[in-house]
Amino acid sequence: MKRHYDFLVIGSGLAGLSFALKVAPFGKVAIITKKELTETNTSYAQGGIAAVTYAPDDYEKHVQDTLIAGAGLCNEEVVRLVVKEGPKQIKELIKWGTEFDKQASGKFDLAKEGGHSEHRILHHKDNTGAEIQRALSEKVRNHKNIDIFENYFAVDIITQHHQGHLVKRRHSNIECYGAYVLNQETGRVYTFLSKATLIATGGTGNLYGSTTNPQIATGDGIAMVYRAKGTVENMEFVQFHPTSLYNPGEKPAYLITEALRGFGAILRTANGSEFMHKYDERGSLAPRDIVARAIDNEMKVRGDDFVYLDCTHLEEKALKEHFPNITEKCMSLGINIAKDYIPVVPSAHYLCGGIKVNSHAQTWIKRLYAAGETASTGLHGANRLASNSLIEAIVFADLAAKHVLSTFKDYQFMEDIPDWNDTGVSHPEEMVLITQSYREVQQIFSAYVGIVRSNIRLKRALDRLEIIWTETEELYRKSTVSVKLCELRNLINVGFLVIKMAMRREESRGLHYTIDYPPDTGDLNLIGKKNYPDY
Ligand code: FAD
Ligand code: SIN
């Protein structure tokens, strides 16, 4: 069964929805999303969205903060582009109905987070992402040119490969004609044909047992593009958020926003000592890679399961007004944040690398764009600056929209595409084959590919992942397509790329820290020299 849309959007977070709204006046749009429209990483974002608004902040300061956090691997042109475009896109968000907190003076209430030299984070209380998602979801639901397909799962993008042609990596003529998409209710796979496609499938936090990401974050877009012979880069740079609530077994791990440290909260060891100044002069507000490593080290040296975040010296009324959701969440576990220390641990949070795109958000594959966490734009380098992800998502979705609107009329639907072929396959008899492998992948990554790495750990991870890969590919060939099996397969694909790229990077840089290569003490002049080619 075929469906035709000018624009196919896979993913309903900030990147997907903002793109959809911008192209919808010019053609028919399908938004494919694997759960409900609002179940996205975007909805979970707490701290806010970074953009320059008032003096004493200026573009140059935001640029420099981003470059410093990125440890020498940012693409400076892209950094300047995002910083400059950011304020315009904030206006779009407001136009679409997003509300950001303001002070009595009418000015935005700007927060500060790790690595920022100024207060520049626009926010809505401590649930900024949910507010953005609410506003955009309302807009797309009411747009006559947009059809929303909830509980539809994109399995693979369609290229010449599906017409029986040999498609090789780095061939410059690969084109995307749409995607095969599973309707989870009926179990049928539809052929969505498009003139242009945007991948906006978000991150891959579920590679790890403990992550702030919801279940949807399984790297599907990256795996799909890699299978289709597109290019992927910087996968070794997995960001761990320093402070998720220590509450073993809770999934996803509940985030305690960095904005709380920007508000004055201090990290302490289990015996109450402040420790961050031992590691960085910026203390608890150093960039995320440094704070996460420091916590990891303190926990390992002391044999503790967590460290504490201390807000007890902060003014109670203001604290609870600014952070109502964190207050409520902690209270539900018997922690009064104004009086008790909050136990926190690092958790996998964000993928800096992904599908390589240029400054029009074009991937290597023609008619295929990528934006948001799934894309590697060059903004983050080896470590993302806090709250630079939402702004990147909306800026690159806008760049993609502008580019596609100038080209899509030249493209025809490719009708000569076979239906999904599932002859000779059957339902997997035992789901445990999938669920246990999924758990094993997470264990491998948590144990061997975490905040601190080594050659031997990476090698172990690769050897073990290879076994699971062989078993899963065999199962996939024999089975009818299912979300759980596809997600497992995608995680394994993406996991391979993380390990391979980590093994290739023979240095410690940003989020990739390995005990086998002494850390580089901030030599930013290595730009370019250590920037390895994409895969
Ligand atoms: P997402 O919002 O993750 O959306 C991905 C979409 O793709 C979902 O709709 C999903 O269902 C869909 N999808 C995935 N695979 C498939 C498939 N195979 N088929 C169909 N649909 C699919 N960043 C900031 O800048 N500031 C913050 O304060 C901040 N706080 C955060 C707090 C938390 C707890 C988390 C988890 C992240 C936070 N981030 C923050 C990061 C930021 O939220 C994300 O990077 C950003 O929202 C990603 O947006 P996106 O549109 O790329 O993807
Ligand atoms: C947070 O609120 O601490 C998360 C911010 C981010 O991931 O950018």
Side-chain angles (χ1 to χ4, degrees):
M1 158 93 79
K2 288 195 172 70
R3 291 172 181 266
H4 295 75
Y5 284 91
D6 295 304
F7 309 105
L8 176 63
V9 179
I10 307 177
S12 62
L14 175 56
L17 298 192
S18 60
F19 174 86
L21 286 170
K22 287 182 176 169
V23 296
F26 307 94
K28 286 293 286 177
V29 183
I31 298 176
I32 307 290
T33 184
K34 67 170 151 170
K35 282 201 164 183
E36 307 83 62
L37 189 71
T38 53
E39 185 57 353
T40 62
N41 271 16
T42 299
S43 287
Y44 288 73
Q46 290 189 354
I49 180 162
V52 173
T53 46
Y54 317 113
D57 199 10
D58 61 31
Y59 290 157
E60 195 52 35
K61 288 182 185 167
H62 192 182
V63 166
Q64 291 309 324
D65 291 346
T66 303
L67 292 175
I68 290 168
L73 290 192
C74 301
N75 176 334
E76 188 169 340
E77 253 175 62
V78 170
V79 175
R80 292 190 180 280
L81 174 72
V82 173
V83 165
K84 194 151 168 261
E85 287 298 307
K88 290 183 211 156
Q89 297 309 317
I90 296 288
K91 285 191 185 135
E92 294 277 304
L93 282 176
I94 294 170
K95 191 184 84 194
W96 286 326
T98 309
E99 298 202 356
F100 293 112
D101 289 358
K102 291 195 171 156
Q103 295 173 344
S105 64
K107 282 187 157 186
F108 291 117
D109 179 52
L110 301 174
K112 193 171 180 187
E113 291 179 1
H116 288 271
S117 56
E118 290 293 346
H119 283 75
R120 71 164 67 93
I121 322 285
L122 291 104
H123 66 101
H124 177 92
K125 305 272 179 239
D126 53 359
N127 64 350
T128 312
E131 170 60 12
I132 292 174
Q133 184 81 42
R134 175 201 63 74
L136 270 62
S137 298
E138 269 173 40
K139 281 279 167 203
V140 294
R141 284 202 191 281
N142 290 321
H143 203 296
K144 67 175 179 16
N145 266 358
I146 299 180
D147 291 342
I148 298 168
F149 295 87
E150 290 172 290
N151 299 308
Y152 277 64
F153 182 93
V155 180
D156 265 320
I157 57 165
I158 299 168
T159 65
Q160 293 97 323
H161 165 78
H162 298 96
Q163 299 173 306
H165 302 302
L166 180 68
V167 172
K168 285 193 176 163
R169 201 167 301 288
R170 295 186 191 286
H171 268 194
S172 59
N173 60 350
I174 313 173
E175 291 193 334
C176 173
Y177 305 129
Y180 288 118
V181 180
L182 171 70
N183 174 342
Q184 296 175 52
E185 207 176 299
T186 63
R188 280 192 68 179
V189 176
Y190 292 82
T191 307
F192 275 74
L193 296 179
S194 62
K195 292 186 180 160
T197 300
L198 176 79
I199 304 257
T201 45
T204 185
N206 286 287
L207 263 182
Y208 295 83
S210 174
T211 175
T212 61
N213 294 190
Q215 264 181 13
I216 53 109
T218 50
D220 300 346
I222 298 169
M224 281 191 269
V225 169
Y226 190 68
R227 280 197 294 271
K229 312 284 188 237
T231 49
V232 171
E233 65 174 7
N234 284 353
M235 295 291 289
E236 66 272 43
F237 299 119
V238 176
Q239 185 168 69
F240 286 75
H241 197 290
T243 57
S244 71
L245 183 64
Y246 176 73
N247 186 23
E250 179 168 8
K251 283 190 191 280
Y254 186 81
L255 188 76
I256 304 292
T257 177
E258 196 158 309
L260 204 49
R261 276 177 280 136
F263 200 73
I266 291 167
L267 286 161
R268 296 185 186 280
T269 50
N271 69 348
S273 308
E274 217 180 316
F275 59 90
M276 267 313 301
H277 281 98
K278 278 195 301 193
Y279 297 88
D280 192 286
E281 61 190 12
R282 289 160 291 187
S284 294
L285 267 187
R288 244 170 231 184
D289 55 334
I290 296 169
V291 182
R293 256 193 323 271
I295 294 176
D296 187 66
N297 190 49
E298 289 293 327
M299 282 168 35
K300 286 201 173 113
V301 168
R302 298 174 46 82
D304 292 336
D305 289 334
F306 53 80
V307 296
Y308 281 122
L309 191 63
D310 170 14
C311 310
T312 57
H313 52 291
L314 302 173
E315 210 264 301
E316 182 166 352
K317 186 161 169 286
L319 177 68
K320 292 187 169 171
E321 257 170 34
H322 274 82
F323 304 101
N325 295 291
I326 290 175
T327 302
E328 193 184 315
K329 170 71 187 181
C330 289
M331 198 52 103
S332 75
L333 298 171
I335 303 162
N336 177 349
I337 66 168
K339 300 205 161 50
D340 307 316
Y341 290 172
I342 310 170
V344 291
V345 283
S347 281
H349 183 64
Y350 184 84
L351 180 68
C352 292
I355 304 162
K356 185 175 180 172
V357 294
N358 66 14
S359 54
H360 300 295
Q362 289 174 286
T363 70
W364 182 260
I365 298 173
K366 294 195 173 104
R367 298 165 66 161
L368 184 70
Y369 296 76
E373 191 167 337
T374 197
S376 177
T377 64
L379 176 70
H380 308 309
N383 178 36
R384 174 177 69 100
L385 184 67
S387 287
N388 260 0
S389 167
L390 291 170
I391 201 68
E392 180 199 43
I394 190 168
V395 168
F396 268 79
D398 181 66
L399 294 167
K402 284 186 178 125
H403 192 270
V404 80
L405 289 176
S406 67
T407 56
F408 84 101
K409 292 224 167 77
D410 300 337
Y411 299 132
Q412 308 302 318
F413 291 112
M414 178 58 78
E415 297 294 345
D416 174 26
I417 300 293
D419 286 340
W420 183 259
N421 182 358
D422 59 2
T423 43
V425 295
S426 57
H427 285 293
E429 276 167 24
E430 295 181 311
M431 276 308 282
V432 69
L433 298 177
I434 299 170
T435 51
Q436 180 55 24
S437 294
Y438 195 99
R439 235 175 268 135
E440 282 175 31
V441 171
Q442 293 185 327
Q443 283 164 356
I444 291 168
F445 272 79
S446 303
Y448 299 132
V449 200
I451 295 173
V452 176
R453 300 165 179 177
S454 71
N455 289 342
I456 190 163
R457 289 183 207 172
L458 292 174
K459 169 84 170 67
R460 282 214 171 172
L462 188 65
D463 291 348
R464 277 151 181 75
L465 198 63
E466 234 148 26
I467 297 169
I468 304 175
W469 177 77
T470 307
E471 292 167 354
T472 306
E473 286 302 303
E474 197 179 320
L475 187 64
Y476 184 80
R477 275 192 293 277
K478 293 193 302 204
S479 306
T480 42
V481 74
S482 72
V483 171
K484 282 282 153 233
L485 182 53
C486 288
E487 286 183 336
L488 170 63
R489 191 169 176 244
N490 290 338
L491 272 185
I492 294 170
N493 280 195
V494 167
F496 257 115
L497 292 168
V498 172
I499 298 173
K500 287 280 193 185
M501 293 193 198
M503 286 175 125
R504 196 176 57 168
R505 183 166 290 283
E506 295 178 344
E507 63 170 348
S508 287
R509 181 174 288 268
L511 295 161
H512 175 68
Y513 186 95
T514 161
I515 53 176
D516 287 308
Y517 302 98
D520 184 335
T521 48
D523 178 8
L524 299 188
N525 297 323
L526 284 170
I527 295 178
K529 212 156 101 198
K530 294 277 181 165
N531 219 346
Y532 299 107
D534 48 53
Y535 263 48

